[in-house]
C-alpha cells in the first residue's frame, strides 16, 4: 500500500513547455499523477500562469502542497531574448529551425542580463553579459547591429562599456 499522504509536504516539479499552451496529459500524468492531482487541472493552471509567454519555450516550476499547484515561470536567457525580440507567433508544425534574426539595443540586453544575474556563476556583471551574449549568438540575433561574438571580444579589450550592476 502507498504511504500516507502528508498535506503539509511541499513537492516541486519542473518541466519545460511552450507558454500559454496545454501540455499533453501524457507528459503531465507521470509527474503529477502520483501526487494525487489531475493532469488536466494542472495543465489548465500552467496555461493561466504562462499566458504572457505565448509560443516561447520556458521552464515551469510547479510547487505542489495539499493537492494545490502553484505555477512559477523560470525563464532562461534564450526565452528572455526571444521575448525581447517581440517576434510574431509562428506555427511550430510548419516552420522549423527558425533563426531569430532581430536586433536588440544595449538597454534590452542589460535588462535580460539583470534578470539572469541571480542564476549566473560569473563573479562580475560583465561575465554575465558575456554569458547572455553567447546565448544571443546561438539564437541568431544581433546587438545594435554587431555580432555577439564581436561584442564579447570588445568586452575583453575594455572597448564595450558595461555597468557595474
Amino acid at each position: 500500500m502507498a504511504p500516507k499522504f502528508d498535506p503539509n509536504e511541499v513537492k516541486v516539479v519542473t518541466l519545460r513547455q511552450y507558454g500559454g499552451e496545454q501540455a499533453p496529459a501524457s507528459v503531465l500524468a507521470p509527474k503529477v499523477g502520483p501526487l494525487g492531482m489531475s493532469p488536466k487541472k494542472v495543465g489548465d493552471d500552467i496555461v493561466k500562469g504562462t499566458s504572457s509567454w505565448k509560443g516561447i519555450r520556458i521552464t515551469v516550476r510547479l510547487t505542489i502542497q495539499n493537492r494545490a499547484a502553484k505555477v512559477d515561470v523560470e525563464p532562461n536567457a534564450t526565452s528572455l531574448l526571444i521575448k525581447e525580440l517581440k517576434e510574431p507567433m509562428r506555427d511550430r508544425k510548419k516552420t522549423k529551425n527558425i533563426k531569430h534574426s532581430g536586433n536588440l539595443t544595449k538597454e534590452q540586453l542589460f535588462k535580460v542580463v539583470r534578470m539572469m544575474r541571480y542564476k549566473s556563476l560569473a563573479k562580475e556583471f560583465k561575465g554575465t553579459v558575456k554569458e547572455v551574449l553567447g546565448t544571443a549568438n546561438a539564437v541568431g540575433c544581433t546587438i545594435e547591429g554587431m555580432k555577439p561574438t564581436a561584442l564579447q571580444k570588445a568586452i575583453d579589450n575594455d572597448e564595450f562599456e558595461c555597468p557595474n550592476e
Side-chain angles (χ1 to χ4, degrees), residues 17-72:
Q17 179 183 331
Y18 287 98
E21 291 182 19
Q22 178 85 35
S26 59
V27 174
L28 289 174
K31 296 184 179 186
V32 299
L35 304 174
M37 301 202 52
S38 152
K40 174 116 177 67
K41 185 173 169 288
V42 173
D44 292 340
D45 290 345
I46 292 173
V47 169
K48 281 186 203 128
T50 61
S51 58
S52 64
W53 295 87
K54 267 199 177 10
I56 301 173
R57 194 132 191 245
I58 46 167
T59 307
V60 179
R61 174 192 267 164
L62 297 170
T63 311
I64 299 171
Q65 182 176 16
N66 202 8
R67 292 195 178 150
K70 186 170 143 277
V71 177
D72 294 316

